[in-house]
Amino acid sequence: MSREHHVPLFRDRVRAGRALIGAGAGTGLSAKCAEEAGVDFIVIYNAGRFRMAGRGSMAGMMPYGNANDIVVEMSAEVLPVVSRTPVLAGVCATDPFKNIPRFLRELKDLGFSGVQNFPSVCLLDGSVRADLEATGYGFDKEVEMVRLAREMDLLTATYVRTEDEARAMAAAGADVVVAHVGLTTAGLIGSTSPMSLADAAARTREIHDAAKGVREDVFVVCHGGPIATPDDAQEVLRMVPGAVGFLGASSMERLPAETALIDTMRRFTEVSITAAPEGPQRKEAVA
C-alpha cells in the first residue's frame, strides 16, 4: 500500500483525537505484536537487531555491519508476518557503496511502504559531525533520500535533532518529522542522561514549530530520551500542542521485554518442590 493510502488514514486518526503511534521492531515477533496492538506504522533498522540482542541501540551507529544490508536481511523476518500495517525501512543514505535511488526501488519491491533516515548523522555532533559533513557524508544526503522517496510515493518518517534539520526534512516532503531528543533513558542498557520530560517537551516544541513553519500538513511526533512509557508520551504531548504522536523503539520492545522476561523468569526461580522421601520412609510410601 502506497503513501497515498496511508497518509489520509493518519490524518483521520489525528482528527479523531488519537495519537499517531509508530513502533520500532527488531524481530518478527515484535513487529507481529505491534500490528496486533494497532500501531500506525512499524520501522525496522539495524539498531533493532542490536537492541534485541542485548546491546545498546547506539551500536547501530557503529561499523558492526552494513546497515542497509542488515535491513534487507531483517525484512525477510518482519515483512511476512505484517499484513495490515505499513513497514518503513531504515536507510543509511550516506552509504557510499549504495545507489540510493536503486536501493529505494529495491525496498519498495520487497514490500516496504516507506523509509526512515537511520543510521543518521543527526545523532552525531562536534568534530565527528563536522568531518562527516565536510567529506560528503552529511545530513543533506538524508534529506535528498527523503525527497526521492517522496517522489516514489513512499511514506517517510525522519529523525531530526535541530530546527534546521526539521525545516530541511519538511521542505523535502517528509510525512512524519520525529523529534529525537536522545537515547531512551531506562532499562538495562538505556542512557543515563538526566534530561527531564520538560526538557524533552521543550526540544520537541522547537522542532515542531520549525517543521510546521515550512509545511502545516507535516506530522510531528516525539521520540527518545526520558519518554519511555505511555504516560511519558502523554505528558509530552500535553506540553506540546500540535505534536500528534510518538515513535518508540526501546520503549516499545526492549523495555517491555526486559520487564516481562525478568518478572516471569524470577517467578520460575521461586517455584518450590516437595522433597522426595528418603530411605525407609520412601519404601513405606511406595508400599
Side-chain angles (χ1 to χ4, degrees):
M1 291 179 286
S2 69
R3 173 188 175 278
E4 292 288 330
H5 172 84
H6 295 298
V7 170
L9 296 180
F10 290 0
R11 211 161 299 287
D12 288 346
R13 183 178 181 94
V14 171
R15 288 196 190 103
R18 295 177 295 161
L20 192 64
I21 301 299
T27 68
L29 180 60
S30 296
K32 196 178 183 82
C33 290
E35 180 167 73
E36 184 66 23
V39 305
D40 298 290
F41 62 97
I42 296 167
V43 185
I44 67 173
Y45 42 73
N46 69 330
R49 172 167 288 183
F50 293 114
R51 179 169 56 241
M52 298 309 286
R55 276 71 173 179
S57 296
M58 288 303 289
M61 296 293 294
M62 296 297 289
Y64 304 143
N66 183 282
N68 290 324
D69 292 343
I70 288 172
V71 165
V72 171
E73 292 172 8
M74 293 173 71
S75 71
E77 179 178 345
V78 171
L79 294 178
V81 299
V82 177
S83 59
R84 304 181 307 276
T85 310
V87 180
L88 281 61
V91 174
C92 180
T94 56
D95 186 340
F97 299 106
K98 283 289 183 195
N99 179 310
I100 296 300
R102 184 181 302 160
F103 185 53
L104 293 179
R105 288 192 292 271
E106 177 186 346
L107 293 173
K108 191 171 184 178
D109 289 343
L110 283 172
F112 283 102
S113 296
V115 295
Q116 181 166 19
N117 59 323
F118 192 91
S120 171
V121 297
C122 82
L123 301 182
L124 303 172
D125 53 24
S127 61
V128 173
R129 172 72 180 268
D131 288 345
L132 287 169
E133 295 282 356
T135 52
Y137 305 107
F139 192 73
D140 62 307
K141 293 287 196 301
E142 299 175 32
V143 174
E144 175 63 10
M145 182 273 291
V146 168
R147 187 189 67 77
L148 290 170
R150 174 67 182 264
E151 290 178 356
M152 294 180 186
D153 199 30
L154 287 164
L155 194 63
T156 52
T158 60
Y159 277 143
V160 301
R161 295 287 297 276
T162 70
E163 295 96 312
D164 285 344
E165 291 165 356
R167 283 188 280 266
M169 283 301 190
D175 297 300
V176 182
V177 167
V178 183
H180 195 308
V181 300
L183 190 65
T184 302
T185 57
L188 299 177
I189 53 176
S191 169
T192 57
S193 168
M195 176 183 279
S196 67
L197 278 179
D199 292 335
R203 289 298 304 133
T204 301
R205 186 179 305 109
E206 291 167 352
I207 289 169
H208 166 273
D209 292 349
K212 289 285 191 175
V214 176
R215 263 187 37 243
E216 184 58 36
D217 64 339
V218 67
F219 301 102
V220 178
V221 305
C222 57
H223 170 85
I227 316 171
T229 68
D231 288 342
D232 295 336
Q234 184 72 73
E235 180 63 11
V236 170
L237 295 181
R238 183 191 68 78
M239 291 189 280
V240 188
V244 296
F246 172 69
L247 169 61
S250 291
S251 55
M252 288 290 188
E253 60 174 358
R254 175 176 64 81
L255 295 178
E258 287 177 0
T259 301
L261 289 171
I262 291 171
D263 179 64
T264 300
M265 292 177 185
R266 181 173 289 133
R267 287 166 58 199
F268 271 114
T269 68
E270 295 169 352
V271 170
S272 61
I273 61 172
T274 301
E278 299 179 1
Q281 293 181 341
R282 182 180 181 186
K283 293 179 181 178
E284 291 173 6
V286 171

